Amino acid sequence: MSSSNIPHVVLQSSSNHHKMPVIGFGTASTSSPIDTKEAILEAIKLGYRHFDTASIYGSEKSLGEAIAEALQLGLIASRDQLFITSKLWCTDNFPNLVLPAIHKTLQCLKLEYLDLYLIHWPISVNPGTFDFPFPEEALASFDLKGVWQAMEECQKQGLTKFIGVSNFNCHKLENLLSFATIPPSVNQVELNPTWQQKKLREFCQKKNIIVTAHSPLGSGNFWGFNNVMDNELLKQIGEAHHKSIAQVSLRWLYELEITIVVKSYNKERMKQNLEIFDWSLTKDDYAKIDEIKQNRICNLGPEIWDEEK
């Protein structure tokens, strides 16, 4: 698929606006750096232009190398043709560590700016903590106001074009919006047919915050189960449309005006994940998807979440 055929949403702030492709390529993987770099180059060839990384993924360097090679090979004419998202990790979630963290990210990527920088989780963890999920004694007080002011500074200095959050519930967003000078452009959260987050989606829509779905096909088997890809109702819908379960899930998100980060290094699946724009789900399909039992996959504990479904 040509990159020009992938729809965009427009991120807006008081000073500028910027197009973000609705489907992004995720780089949170246990693959080797070489595999990650090759997968990103293949993704660029297939038409992906939005790439999602994070300091914790260990993929920033591979993404930077892939961008440099894509430019050298003429796969893209300039870095401006790409949309790059990265994230601030919990051990850097302190007002004085935000600017050093984004500088380190840019150094790894060998880029001058990000398109989007997100607070990865709404918690702070003592620097030097490597266990995940975090032990309770490693949790520190989260100064959201101070951290957000530092995020705003990143945007003011041109280190990122936009700022946002990830894994924030309605209550935490409301708190952030009460003092933010620059509101968050994006909230990236777990969202798929088995965790539909209707209340959060409605809240974000009302506040003009774009929702991006991570884990749109579940989590693989990272958390030990995969409710999306094993779902019988999604399988039935897919068979009726001659589409895969993955394509049904991605199309459902797209029709709800949710942007998506997909993660597969398999060439055929990477291609299939882009083939969601020329067909539609029916009212009957929606009724079936509404019946799916809800179950969150990414669970770091009750202090992170409201009970939102």
Side-chain angles (χ1 to χ4, degrees), residues 50-68:
H50 175 183
F51 292 89
D52 181 274
T53 184
S55 60
I56 194 64
Y57 298 165
S59 59
E60 290 176 333
K61 190 167 181 286
S62 299
L63 176 54
E65 287 170 1
I67 293 168

Side-chain angles (χ1 to χ4, degrees), residues 1-293:
M1 166 177 266
S2 157
S3 61
S4 59
N5 294 337
I6 297 173
H8 292 76
V9 292
V10 177
L11 300 184
Q12 283 182 307
S13 75
S14 55
S15 56
N16 65 344
H17 69 278
H18 197 44
K19 286 180 175 179
M20 178 171 94
V22 298
I23 194 157
F25 187 79
T27 62
S29 173
T30 51
S31 299
S32 74
I34 294 165
D35 289 344
T36 298
K37 181 184 160 186
E38 291 307 317
I40 293 163
L41 282 167
E42 189 54 49
I44 291 172
K45 287 175 191 169
L46 288 170
Y48 289 91
R49 291 294 179 266
H50 175 183
F51 292 89
D52 181 274
T53 184
S55 60
I56 194 64
Y57 298 165
S59 59
E60 290 176 333
K61 190 167 181 286
S62 299
L63 176 54
E65 287 170 1
I67 293 168
E69 195 165 319
L71 284 163
Q72 204 180 345
L73 294 169
L75 299 176
I76 49 173
S78 76
R79 178 264 181 264
D80 297 350
Q81 292 181 332
L82 300 177
F83 189 100
I84 308 296
T85 299
S86 194
K87 308 179 195 80
L88 177 77
W89 187 236
C90 307
T91 50
D92 289 317
N93 229 351
F94 298 88
N96 63 317
L97 298 182
V98 176
L99 278 154
I102 194 171
H103 279 295
K104 191 178 173 191
T105 280
L106 290 169
Q107 205 177 351
C108 285
L109 287 162
K110 292 193 166 53
L111 295 179
E112 289 178 9
Y113 68 91
L114 296 173
D115 296 278
L116 180 64
Y117 196 44
L118 306 177
I119 296 176
H120 206 149
W121 286 92
I123 49 174
S124 295
V125 174
N126 292 323
T129 305
F130 300 104
D131 296 339
F132 185 81
F134 308 114
E136 209 165 314
E137 61 275 15
L139 296 178
S141 172
F142 178 35
D143 176 9
L144 176 58
K145 192 170 187 179
V147 167
W148 191 253
Q149 281 171 344
M151 292 288 285
E152 291 180 339
E153 191 55 35
C154 292
Q155 183 167 327
K156 286 173 190 166
Q157 289 187 21
L159 302 170
T160 182
K161 288 187 181 294
F162 289 88
I163 50 176
V165 295
S166 182
N167 303 304
F168 271 52
N169 60 31
C170 294
H171 176 69
K172 288 187 167 64
L173 285 172
E174 204 143 31
N175 180 20
L176 173 55
L177 290 167
S178 72
F179 56 74
T181 309
I182 302 172
S185 295
V186 169
N187 185 21
Q188 185 180 124
V189 294
E190 178 191 345
L191 214 159
N192 57 59
T194 67
W195 191 245
Q196 297 182 16
Q197 303 243 52
K198 196 175 176 194
K199 183 183 160 195
L200 182 63
R201 284 182 356 234
E202 286 169 355
F203 179 88
C204 289
Q205 190 176 19
K206 202 164 67 179
K207 302 292 183 184
N208 293 318
I209 299 169
I210 287 169
V211 176
T212 297
H214 72 65
S215 311
L217 308 176
S219 62
N221 286 311
F222 182 79
W223 297 86
F225 51 86
N226 199 340
N227 292 354
V228 178
M229 300 305 280
D230 298 335
N231 189 278
E232 200 51 46
L233 286 172
L234 294 174
K235 189 180 168 193
Q236 287 169 21
I237 294 167
E239 283 168 356
H241 290 280
H242 307 291
K243 299 290 177 186
S244 68
I245 289 175
Q247 287 170 319
V248 169
S249 301
L250 297 177
R251 178 70 201 184
W252 174 77
L253 288 163
Y254 172 64
E255 289 189 14
L256 291 176
E257 299 182 349
I258 306 290
T259 58
I260 309 157
V261 172
V262 288
K263 190 185 71 190
S264 174
Y265 287 6
N266 173 292
K267 187 176 173 179
E268 192 47 44
R269 286 199 291 272
M270 284 160 65
K271 188 168 167 286
Q272 285 175 7
N273 287 342
L274 289 178
E275 293 169 350
I276 62 165
F277 300 115
D278 58 354
W279 57 284
S280 300
L281 294 168
T282 64
K283 280 184 180 171
D284 188 42
D285 296 335
Y286 273 88
K288 282 184 178 146
I289 292 170
D290 282 347
E291 288 169 25
I292 292 172
K293 185 171 179 255

